[in-house]
Amino acid sequence: MFPVARAAQSLVARGIQHTAVRQAHRKHEPNFHDKYGTMVLLGGAAVFSAVWGYVFTQLNIEWGFSPVRRITPREWRE
């Protein structure tokens, strides 16, 4: 049984070494994330900031500095 296990182990090790050598000689091709990852991240951050900046500037909430730290609503117009 021992020689069979040793032979199987050497076959597995040889297969792993063969795969590693094959992948080492292959040129790395950039994928979508390598090409556009940073630009997508920056674009998403810009859109996120623009949308929330618009929301916060258009809400017209008057911030009251009360001890309870509540938001005071605006007066109702009729």
Side-chain angles (χ1 to χ4, degrees), residues 6-19:
R6 184 184 295 173
Q9 184 182 10
S10 69
L11 282 175
V12 170
R14 198 174 309 143
I16 292 172
Q17 288 174 349
H18 180 68
T19 303

Side-chain angles (χ1 to χ4, degrees), residues 35-44:
K35 289 181 182 178
Y36 308 110
T38 306
M39 293 308 293
V40 170
L41 180 66
L42 292 175

Side-chain angles (χ1 to χ4, degrees), residues 45-71:
V47 169
F48 177 86
S49 301
V51 167
W52 280 108
Y54 176 79
V55 167
F56 284 136
T57 56
Q58 299 301 316
L59 277 178
N60 290 330
I61 293 177
E62 296 177 10
W63 298 92
F65 294 106
S66 66
V68 187
R69 296 181 185 250
R70 288 184 290 186
I71 299 173

Side-chain angles (χ1 to χ4, degrees), residues 22-35:
R22 189 170 8 123
Q23 289 179 354
H25 290 294
R26 198 176 83 182
K27 288 188 176 180
H28 175 69
E29 298 172 1
N31 59 11
F32 177 83
H33 299 287
D34 293 334
K35 289 181 182 178

